[in-house]
Amino acid sequence: MSKKEFEELIKLIIARTGMTQEQLSVDSGRNKGYISQVLSRGKASDKYVELLRAKYGIKEGETLNSTEYNIGAAVKKIQAGMDVTLLAVAELLAKANNQPIA
């Protein structure tokens, strides 16, 4: 795998997991500076690339730009969380003011 492809893979994993490069190195069983070392050498081993793809569910050829997000599902999930929060606040206010919960 070329250096550019490896960089793209690392960026994709970081975007999905929210980890830093150092955290990713440690989480994949390597020392803290391993990914930096691989990038400076310019070539990642196929074995390490396969480990990363398997561990983080990255398909062959998948890039940061090819990842699709379902925005509608994300918005619905946020709305459901807000509905629960608003209901809980309404119940607390009703109890605090000795009002019936409706």
Side-chain angles (χ1 to χ4, degrees), residues 10 14 19-26 32 35-36 39:
I10 297 304
I14 288 172
M19 290 186 205
T20 64
Q21 202 172 0
E22 292 80 16
Q23 290 169 328
L24 180 58
S25 292
V26 172
K32 190 171 144 181
I35 292 175
S36 293
L39 289 171

Side-chain angles (χ1 to χ4, degrees), residues 26-101:
V26 172
D27 192 55
S28 63
R30 302 301 195 273
N31 66 43
K32 190 171 144 181
Y34 184 78
I35 292 175
S36 293
Q37 293 168 5
V38 170
L39 289 171
S40 68
R41 282 194 311 251
K43 178 138 172 57
S45 74
D46 292 337
K47 193 174 186 178
Y48 186 62
V49 169
E50 288 307 312
L51 173 114
L52 290 175
R53 283 193 177 135
K55 183 170 179 81
Y56 300 103
I58 309 295
K59 296 174 186 154
E60 180 76 34
E62 189 174 357
T63 65
L64 194 56
N65 294 331
S66 70
T67 303
E68 294 181 18
Y69 297 99
N70 187 341
I71 299 299
V75 169
K76 286 179 183 177
K77 188 175 183 179
I78 292 168
Q79 182 64 46
M82 289 177 64
D83 290 345
V84 170
T85 302
L86 290 174
L87 181 60
V89 169
E91 288 178 5
L92 289 171
L93 287 172
K95 285 182 183 179
N97 294 312
N98 294 324
Q99 297 290 321
I101 300 170

